[in-house]
Amino acid sequence: KWKNRKKQSICRAVIKSAGVKTKVTALLDTGNSLLEPISGKPVCLIEEELLARITLENTLFYRAIPFKSVGCEHGILYGVEIPKLTIYKDEECFVLEQVVCAGVPHQLSHKKAYRMILHPDLFREEFCKPLS
């Protein structure tokens, strides 16, 4: 059933870290194949400005995540593991724990239509628990 959820779409997300909840609009992007190299966990992208606010007063384990993209043959993104991420997509709600998020230094969408890009593998059974 999760394969039906893999199409590209906009959804709402709530990041919970150190008791603080941050709401963000996210894009579920089937083209995101970024993985954290040690754990193999899927990586979400989030604007650095937003990630800095989330992690400002929290002690989180920082990770270096190598990547390749168009125009960047060898790059490094810096990320953290977010304790809890809740995603609201259509009529469904998914709760994910210990999600790796990497900061990007630029806006992800032209008019801030979304500020986070979700990895499609987050919806695999081993990573998420549907609540609805």
Side-chain angles (χ1 to χ4, degrees):
K1 183 179 174 183
W2 70 272
K3 288 182 183 179
N4 297 333
R5 296 183 201 107
K6 284 184 70 172
K7 61 184 175 186
Q8 194 172 33
S9 62
I10 299 287
C11 50
R12 294 179 301 123
V14 177
I15 299 167
K16 186 174 182 186
S17 180
V20 176
K21 291 182 181 181
T22 304
K23 295 178 183 178
V24 62
T25 303
L27 173 72
L28 174 58
D29 184 5
T30 57
N32 178 2
S33 60
L34 190 59
L35 299 175
E36 197 275 329
I38 295 171
S39 68
K41 286 183 173 184
V43 176
C44 296
L45 301 173
I46 188 167
E47 293 175 7
E48 277 182 355
E49 172 196 343
L50 188 57
L51 187 61
R53 278 192 269 148
I54 293 164
T55 61
L56 187 61
E57 296 183 11
N58 303 325
T59 305
L60 300 171
F61 181 71
Y62 287 87
R63 299 167 184 264
I65 303 164
F67 76 96
K68 291 182 186 179
S69 68
V70 175
C72 183
E73 197 57 35
H74 304 286
I76 297 285
L77 292 173
Y78 297 97
V80 295
E81 203 166 80
I82 299 297
K84 185 176 178 182
L85 175 66
T86 305
I87 301 168
Y88 301 91
K89 183 174 178 334
D90 302 323
E91 301 293 321
E92 297 179 286
C93 175
F94 302 89
V95 176
L96 301 101
E97 296 178 348
Q98 304 310 117
V99 177
V100 178
C101 292
V104 295
H106 58 307
Q107 284 187 352
L108 291 171
S109 70
H110 177 60
K111 293 186 179 180
K112 293 190 178 184
Y114 54 89
R115 300 188 70 194
M116 181 176 199
I117 295 178
L118 302 173
H119 194 292
D121 285 353
L122 289 175
F123 292 94
R124 290 178 41 193
E125 288 180 18
E126 65 260 36
F127 296 116
C128 80
K129 300 177 257 182
L131 291 182
S132 53

